[in-house]
Each structure stands twice: as structure tokens, then as C-alpha cells.
Amino acid sequence: MTVSAEPISLIPTTPSDITSAARYRRWYGYGRRQERLRTAALTMVPLAALVLLWYLLTANHVVFWLRFDKIPTPAEVYDSFRIQLGTRSYYSNIISSMRRILIGFGLATVAGVLIGMAIGRSRLVSALIRPLLEVFRPIPAIALVPLAILLFPTGEQGIVFITFFAAFFPVAVSTIHAMHALPRVWEEAAHTLGAGQWEILFRIALPGALPGIFSGLSVAMGVAWICVISAEMISGQFGIGYFTWQSYGLLDYPGVVVGMLSIGLLGWATAWLVEMTGRRVNRWLPRAAR
């Protein structure tokens, strides 16, 4: 009995193999497109149902404890939104809020991950810093608005600080828990193979903790939006939160709804970016490709 020494090739070489592979790629691509279309349709169904319910309640001036006769109709909000899309101030407000979110969230990500890793890996650092973390964590970020006004020379810096403060704690706490959840056998195996402390930290501990860290980042993004909008309403001079509050002061109720919807869409977009980044970074996970 002879065994062939020729390697088995998985690359199609004959015309029939190439044709089969092409058909599989077309079928696979078609299946992925169909799945995306189904997902998009399922996403639109609850949104369309909500808009329909909104229209029925406001168009018929329903008053049943809640006074929907005071709420603008979808058509009025659409007209106001169309008007705002033609103004420069609307885009300036969006850019201002996005800048504050990106700076505050970015600083919170870097500081939260580094401090969380230090606390999760060192008992000494945990004994020194963890009590401070637990003391400041229950304080609502929006309660720091008066202090931020006094502390920082400009309102812009104060709002960025409030955004950073709000996003920092979810990132730090999720990083600490992710570090504690790592299997010790990974570190022991790395020690056995001769890895140093820094190699274990950045090539084993950090990659292994990334799924938990990105869970905290997703939460932090939502909290950051809540606090930046609240800060803009209280002390801001521009931003989408300031636009919403100013519309309320001018009795422009369709403008208020336009501001609310804009905040929701911006929050959705930034949360999606965090999720997509997490999927790419954690593509080694079994479910990351979904």
C-alpha cells in the first residue's frame, strides 16, 4: 500500500471546481444580503409602529391622563426637521455635541482602561485607588455642573469634563471585572513559556479582557450622551442639548421633538460605532463574526 506524498490542495484547480466555488460565493453573498434585508425590515417595523401610534394619538387629540393634544404631530415635526436641515446653526450644534462626546469619551476610555487594568492587576494599586473610585462613582455627573463652572475657565471645558466623568466609571469598573475574570491558567502558561510581566499584561491580559471592556464602553457611551445633553441644557451656549432647551423656551414644540430625535439618532450612531469596533477587535471570539 503506497501513500501519495503530494499535498492535498484546497484551492480549486479544475474548471468544474472553479465554477462550483464561484456558485458558492454567489450563494453565500446572496444569503448574507437577504439576512441584512430581513434585519433592516425587522428594525423598521417597531419604528413604523411607533410613528403610526404617535400619529393616531396626536391627530385625534387623545386625552386620557396623558395629553396628546399638546404634542406636535409627525407632519409638524417633519416640517420643522426639514427647515432645520437648511440652517447652519443646526449642523453647528450637532458638531459641538459630537466634539464634546468624542473628546470626553476618548479620555474616559484611555484613563478608564489604564486605571482599571492597574487596579485589576495590582493589590497595592487596588488598595490605594479603589476606595476613591467607589466614593466618587455614585455621584451623578450632572451634579458637578456648578463645580465645573467654577473650576474650568470656559464652559466648553466644563462640559467635556462632565462627559469624561460620566463615561469614566463604567469603563474602569468593567475593566476591573474583566481583569478579575481572566483564567489564571493563561498567565501560568505564559510564565512557563518565559513571558515577562509586560508581555502578559499587553499580549494576554488586555486582549482577554477586551470583550468585557467593550461592554463597559457601550454603557459609557449612553451615559456620556445623557450627561452631555443635560450639561448643555444647563450651562451650554451651543450643542444639540442647548438647541432642544432653547426650542422649549421659544415654545417651538416641534423643534423640541426634532432635538430629541436628533439626540437619539446620534446616540444610536455612536453606539453602533462602538459595537462595530468591538466586533472587529474581538473577531477571534466565536460570535464576533455575527
Side-chain angles (χ1 to χ4, degrees):
M1 180 178 180
T2 60
V3 179
S4 175
E6 296 181 0
I8 299 176
S9 176
L10 298 178
I11 302 175
T13 54
T14 65
S16 60
D17 291 340
I18 295 174
T19 303
S20 300
R23 288 176 179 175
Y24 173 75
R25 285 194 297 270
R26 286 197 300 269
W27 174 83
Y28 182 75
Y30 175 77
R32 292 294 299 273
R33 287 193 298 271
Q34 291 295 105
E35 183 180 355
R36 292 194 187 99
L37 289 175
R38 284 195 297 269
T39 302
L42 289 175
T43 302
M44 294 303 297
V45 166
L47 296 176
L50 180 61
V51 172
L52 178 61
L53 179 63
W54 174 18
Y55 168 77
L56 293 175
L57 292 173
T58 54
N60 294 289
H61 303 288
V62 174
V63 178
F64 183 71
W65 186 53
L66 297 176
R67 300 178 297 174
F68 289 98
D69 58 328
K70 306 294 185 181
I71 303 298
T73 64
E76 293 172 339
V77 173
Y78 173 77
D79 291 337
S80 178
F81 186 67
R82 189 161 48 87
I83 293 171
Q84 291 300 327
L85 288 177
T87 63
R88 292 186 59 184
S89 60
Y90 177 73
Y91 297 102
S92 298
N93 288 322
I94 289 178
I95 292 172
S96 298
S97 295
M98 287 296 300
R99 182 176 63 248
R100 292 161 176 167
I101 281 288
L102 293 178
I103 295 175
F105 181 78
L107 293 174
T109 299
V110 175
V113 170
L114 292 178
I115 293 177
M117 289 176 62
I119 294 175
R121 299 285 301 175
S122 171
R123 292 183 178 180
L124 176 62
V125 176
S126 179
L128 292 174
I129 300 179
R130 188 68 184 268
L132 296 176
L133 194 71
E134 297 302 331
V135 167
F136 285 100
R137 185 159 66 104
I139 300 176
I142 199 63
L144 298 178
V145 170
L147 182 62
I149 294 174
L150 297 174
L151 187 62
F152 292 92
T154 65
E156 180 73 13
Q157 295 173 354
I159 294 176
V160 170
F161 166 73
I162 291 169
T163 307
F164 161 80
F165 186 88
F168 168 77
F169 293 100
V171 178
V173 172
S174 65
T175 304
I176 293 171
H177 289 303
M179 287 292 168
H180 288 166
L182 291 175
R184 296 194 63 86
V185 66
W186 293 0
E187 185 174 347
E188 294 170 358
H191 272 305
T192 302
L193 295 173
Q197 290 295 332
W198 289 105
E199 288 181 305
I200 293 174
L201 183 62
F202 289 103
R203 301 187 65 179
I204 295 176
L206 180 59
L210 281 176
I213 292 174
F214 270 94
S215 297
L217 290 176
S218 181
V219 175
M221 179 59 77
V223 175
W225 270 110
I226 293 172
C227 291
V228 75
I229 296 302
S230 302
E232 288 175 352
M233 288 182 174
I234 295 174
S235 63
Q237 297 180 349
F238 40 84
I240 196 65
Y242 173 76
F243 164 81
T244 305
W245 188 250
Q246 186 184 43
S247 298
Y248 174 75
L250 298 173
L251 303 181
D252 179 14
Y253 299 123
V256 173
V257 180
V258 168
M260 293 168 57
L261 294 176
S262 300
I263 295 167
L265 291 174
L266 291 172
W268 189 4
T270 50
W272 179 83
L273 286 175
V274 172
E275 182 180 352
M276 290 298 104
T277 304
R279 288 186 181 182
R280 287 188 175 274
V281 172
N282 298 314
R283 59 183 179 272
W284 53 273
L285 291 174
R287 292 179 176 267
R290 294 188 180 182

